[in-house]
Amino acid sequence: MLTIRKLSLGQGYRYLMDSIAVGDGRADQSSELTRYYAESGTPPGRWNGRGLADLGGGKGIEHGSEVTESQLWNMLGLVADPLTGEPVGQALRIRRVSMADRIKARVARLPETLTGEDRALAIERIKAEEAQAEKKIGKPVAGFDLTFSPSKSVSVAWALADPETKAIIYRCHQRAIDYVLGYAEREVIHSRSGKNGVLQEDATGISAASFTHYDSRAGDPQLHDHVIVWNRAKSISDGKWRTLDGSGLYKSIVTLGVMHEGVLSDLLTESLGVGWEERVTPGGMPKSEIIGIPTDLMEEFSQRVAAVREHKAHLVEQFTLAHGRAPSAVESVRLAQQANLETRQDKVHRSLAEMSIDWRQRAARYLDDDPTTFVASLANRNELPLLRVADLSEEMLQEVAGLALERVSERHATFGRINVLAEVHRQLQGLRFVDLRKSAVIRHQDRPGIDKSLSASEVIGQIGTVMWRVLNYTTRERARGDKGFSLVSYLLG
C-alpha cells in the first residue's frame, strides 16, 4: 500500500521530527537523530533520488548517505537547498501576520465597555474564528510524504524471522521502493512552467529522504518507509528549479502502490521461494498475502486496523441516528478519517530487539512451531512458473489488456493511461517473474521509449511506460466498437 501526505512549510518539518525521523512519545524532544538511531536500532534516514546530484550547486549529496537534522530543516523548514540552505526557485509567498498576532489585534479593538464574562466569550469567539481561518490559509508545500507499506503477511514474516531472513525481506522491500521511485522519476515526476502552468517540464530527478519504521502505533509489526520527496526539482530544459506537479503525483499514487506490491512479491519469491494467495480483507478488498500465514495471526498483529474499524462503525451508527440515513461515500471517508485520528496513539519508543521478543511471544499461541522455524517453513511454497521475457506472448498481453480495459471501464466513464496501468498490475499480480537484470532483452526492440536491457519483472513494471499514443479512452468510444483500437497497441505503442 502507498499513501501520500502534503508537508507544508515549517509544519512539515515539525511533523517529520515528531512522527517520522525520531518517533512519537520520545522522552527527550531535543534528542538528535544520530542519538535516536543509536538507541533504537532504527536505520538512519537515507538520501535517495537522481536529483541529489544537483544540490549544493552541483556538489551533490551521495545516494544512500545519512540524513542530518540540518538538512531536514533546510528542506522542509525553509524549502531551501538541503545541502547549503540557499533558497532555490521562486520566492515563497508567506503570510506574515501570525494567528497569535491577529488574535491580539482583534482583542485590542474590543470595546472597553465589554467586560467580565461577555469579554471572555468574545475573546473565545475570536480565537475560534481565527483558528478556523488559519486552516484555510494556503501554506507553501515543502514536500510530500510517500509511505510504502507491504502487506500484513510480509510484515508478520519479517517480524518473526531469524536475522538473516529478516535482512533479506528488508532488502527486497527497499529494492521495490527504489524501483518505484525510479519509475516515478521517469514517468510521473514533472514540474510546470508558463502561464497557469500549462507547460509540463521534465526534471533531472527527485531529492528524497527515506525513513524506515518497524511498527504501528499499536505496537504491531508494520514494516514501512516514509519517503519524503522535496517539492523542488531542476528542469532539464532550462536548469531552473521549480515545484513539482503535485496533482500528477496524487493521480499516480494507486498505480505506484500496486507496482510496489507486485515488484516486492516478485523479489520475495525469487529470494525466498514464498508463494502468494488472494485473500479478502474485512473491508471486502482483495489482497495478495504470503501462503501459510494464518489469518488469526495477521489479525493479532492488526490491532490498529481493528481499533479504527470498530470506532468507525460506532461513528457511522451515531451519524445514522442523528441524520436518519446512512452516510454518503464522501461522508463515510470523513468518518474513517475521524476514527483514525480519534484512535491515534503515541508510539512507544522501543528497540527492534525489544519489539521482536514481544512479537514472538504474542505469536506463540497461534503457531505449532517456534516462530523462526515457522517463517523458515514458508519458503519454497511457490508453485507458479517464474516467467521470463520470452514467455510474454502477444496472446497473453492481449488477454491482460482486455481484462484491464473491461475492469477500468466498469468503474470510470473517462480514464487515462494511469488508470489502465494500475489495473494491468492488478491483473498480473497472480503471476511471478524472475529477475534477469543482466541478460533479458525485450523483443519489442524498436519500440520508442522502451529500455532494451530491462529485466522480466521490470518489463511488467513498465508496461505503461510507453502508453504514449492515447491519453484518454472513454467508454463511449469503446461502446462504438472501434475495431481499429487495440489495447495491446495502447500498451506497447
Side-chain angles (χ1 to χ4, degrees):
M1 182 177 69
L2 176 61
T3 61
I4 184 171
R5 171 185 175 137
K6 287 182 181 178
L7 300 177
S8 61
L9 176 69
Q11 289 180 330
Y13 172 77
R14 289 191 292 273
Y15 160 75
L16 185 70
M17 293 300 296
D18 290 343
S19 306
I20 297 174
V22 294
D24 290 303
R26 64 194 187 284
D28 181 7
Q29 288 281 333
S30 64
S31 173
E32 293 188 0
L33 295 184
T34 50
R35 178 180 172 185
Y36 167 76
Y37 297 143
E39 291 176 352
S40 67
T42 300
R46 297 294 181 186
W47 285 106
N48 199 337
R50 295 186 303 184
L52 296 176
D54 299 318
L55 300 178
K59 180 180 179 181
I61 294 178
E62 184 179 355
H63 184 280
S65 60
E66 186 173 326
V67 179
T68 68
E69 196 165 343
S70 63
Q71 291 170 343
L72 281 180
W73 170 249
N74 289 339
M75 181 171 74
L76 298 179
L78 302 174
V79 194
D81 188 312
L83 193 59
T84 66
E86 294 294 324
V88 294
Q90 188 175 13
L92 298 175
R93 299 175 181 175
I94 303 173
R95 185 163 180 170
R96 299 298 180 185
V97 182
S98 68
M99 183 176 73
D101 288 339
R102 296 197 307 270
I103 292 174
K104 184 178 180 180
R106 289 184 62 184
V107 170
R109 291 196 296 269
L110 290 175
E112 294 182 0
T113 55
L114 192 65
T115 59
E117 185 177 347
D118 291 338
R119 188 176 185 84
L121 289 173
I123 292 174
E124 288 302 315
R125 184 172 62 253
I126 289 172
K127 290 180 178 179
E129 290 173 353
E130 290 298 335
Q132 192 66 28
E134 185 73 9
K135 296 178 181 179
K136 299 179 181 180
I137 296 175
K139 296 182 176 65
V141 176
F144 301 90
D145 174 13
L146 307 184
T147 305
F148 291 83
S149 302
S151 61
K152 177 55 68 174
S153 60
V154 174
S155 286
V156 171
W158 167 82
L160 303 179
D162 60 75
E164 181 180 357
T165 304
K166 194 187 296 284
I168 291 174
I169 295 173
Y170 177 73
R171 284 197 299 270
C172 288
H173 171 57
Q174 293 298 313
R175 287 176 63 192
I177 291 175
D178 288 344
Y179 171 78
V180 173
L181 291 179
Y183 173 85
E185 284 186 307
R186 294 189 302 272
E187 303 298 328
V188 175
I189 303 295
H190 305 285
S191 58
R192 293 280 178 180
S193 66
K195 187 176 181 180
N196 298 322
V198 296
L199 298 178
Q200 179 176 285
E201 295 277 354
D202 290 332
T204 58
I206 63 170
S207 301
S210 180
F211 299 87
T212 298
H213 276 209
Y214 294 144
D215 62 337
S216 71
R217 292 179 178 273
D220 297 326
Q222 184 181 328
L223 179 65
H224 62 286
D225 271 60
H226 293 270
V227 179
I228 311 304
V229 179
W230 188 36
N231 190 26
R232 289 291 185 274
K234 192 173 184 179
S235 296
I236 294 176
S237 64
D238 57 12
K240 290 184 178 181
W241 288 90
R242 294 183 171 91
T243 58
L244 303 182
D245 179 9
S247 62
L249 184 57
Y250 269 84
K251 290 177 183 177
S252 302
I253 283 300
V254 172
T255 300
L256 297 177
V258 178
M259 183 183 296
H260 173 261
E261 181 181 357
V263 173
L264 177 58
S265 299
D266 286 343
L267 293 172
L268 289 174
T269 296
E270 180 188 0
S271 300
L272 299 174
V274 297
W276 301 86
E277 62 185 359
E278 185 177 285
R279 302 188 193 181
V280 179
T281 67
M285 295 295 292
K287 189 73 174 176
S288 185
E289 303 286 1
I290 295 176
I291 293 175
I293 296 186
T295 300
D296 54 359
L297 178 59
M298 290 198 295
E299 290 176 349
E300 165 67 25
F301 289 136
S302 303
Q303 294 184 10
R304 170 73 178 139
V305 174
V308 173
R309 187 186 307 120
E310 181 179 350
H311 191 56
K312 182 194 173 185
H314 174 66
L315 293 175
V316 169
E317 182 179 354
Q318 287 185 321
F319 181 97
T320 303
L321 290 173
H323 296 83
R325 61 174 177 82
S328 66
V330 173
E331 290 165 338
S332 182
V333 170
R334 289 173 180 167
L335 291 176
Q337 293 171 338
Q338 180 181 344
N340 181 62
L341 290 174
E342 292 180 354
T343 58
R344 194 179 181 93
Q345 304 170 339
D346 285 344
K347 281 187 177 180
V348 178
H349 186 78
R350 298 188 299 170
S351 69
L352 179 57
E354 292 172 325
M355 288 188 282
S356 295
I357 292 172
D358 174 52
W359 295 334
R360 288 177 183 139
Q361 291 175 342
R362 290 170 57 185
R365 68 176 183 269
Y366 299 96
L367 304 174
D368 296 328
D369 298 319
D370 172 82
T372 56
T373 303
F374 161 72
V375 174
S377 72
L378 301 175
N380 302 317
R381 294 197 184 190
N382 176 56
E383 298 180 352
L384 296 174
L386 299 180
L387 300 179
R388 291 173 168 80
V389 176
D391 300 320
L392 302 178
S393 66
E394 192 77 9
E395 289 74 18
M396 290 178 63
L397 290 174
Q398 181 69 60
E399 182 178 358
V400 171
L403 285 171
L405 180 59
E406 182 178 346
R407 296 291 187 271
V408 172
S409 62
E410 288 173 352
R411 295 193 296 267
H412 304 279
T414 301
F415 50 86
R417 72 172 196 167
I418 202 69
N419 306 106
V420 178
L421 177 57
E423 189 58 39
V424 166
H425 279 285
R426 293 190 187 97
Q427 295 300 323
L428 293 171
Q429 181 58 30
L431 304 178
R432 295 276 70 84
F433 296 88
V434 65
D435 190 354
L436 299 178
R437 193 172 304 275
K438 295 182 180 178
S439 60
V441 178
I442 297 179
R443 288 177 288 116
H444 302 276
Q445 294 188 11
D446 297 326
R447 299 289 188 182
I450 296 183
D451 184 338
K452 297 183 175 67
S453 62
L454 293 178
S455 68
S457 62
E458 290 172 324
V459 171
I460 299 306
Q462 291 200 25
I463 280 183
T465 299
V466 291
M467 298 195 312
W468 53 275
R469 285 174 46 186
V470 182
L471 295 179
N472 285 287
Y473 179 69
T474 68
T475 53
R476 291 191 299 274
E477 290 166 326
R478 184 169 180 252
R480 288 202 302 264
D482 182 3
K483 296 181 180 180
F485 179 87
S486 165
L487 194 57
V488 173
S489 299
Y490 179 48
L491 294 175
L492 296 179

